[in-house]
Amino acid sequence: MVKAVSVEVPEALDEWDVRVASAVELYRVGKVTLKQAAEIAGVCVEDFMKLLSRRKISILNWTLDELKEELRSLDSL
């Protein structure tokens, strides 16, 4: 399901700036997946990962518990 929203922003900002900033923040706080954030920003996943990297935001948006579980599963290999 997709929902359209309208936001008033200063004239100096263009739509792309707002889309990217929104997508980055929504991803950073865990509200959307990497793919969803890329779609919001209007770029492919690879380009969105580059945007995150430039902003020093990890592409692995895992909680500490998720990371521990992943490490446990690697230990069992």
Side-chain angles (χ1 to χ4, degrees):
M1 184 166 101
V2 177
K3 186 187 319 185
V5 296
S6 176
V7 178
E8 292 185 22
V9 297
E11 199 169 302
L13 296 176
D14 63 19
E15 180 182 342
W16 192 82
D17 292 326
V18 175
R19 290 175 68 95
V20 168
S22 299
V24 166
E25 182 61 12
L26 289 168
Y27 179 74
R28 189 186 68 77
V29 299
K31 295 289 185 180
V32 296
T33 65
L34 186 66
K35 183 178 182 211
Q36 289 169 327
E39 290 171 355
I40 291 167
V43 298
C44 68
V45 172
E46 181 181 354
D47 287 343
F48 189 73
M49 290 168 63
K50 290 176 186 175
L51 289 169
L52 291 174
S53 178
R54 282 187 224 123
R55 289 166 173 77
K56 308 273 191 254
I57 297 171
S58 174
I59 61 168
L60 298 177
N61 204 8
W62 293 348
T63 66
L64 183 55
D65 289 338
E66 290 170 327
L67 179 57
K68 286 178 182 177
E69 179 60 33
E70 189 67 22
L71 291 172
R72 274 193 295 275
S73 70
L74 289 173
D75 285 341
S76 66
L77 292 178

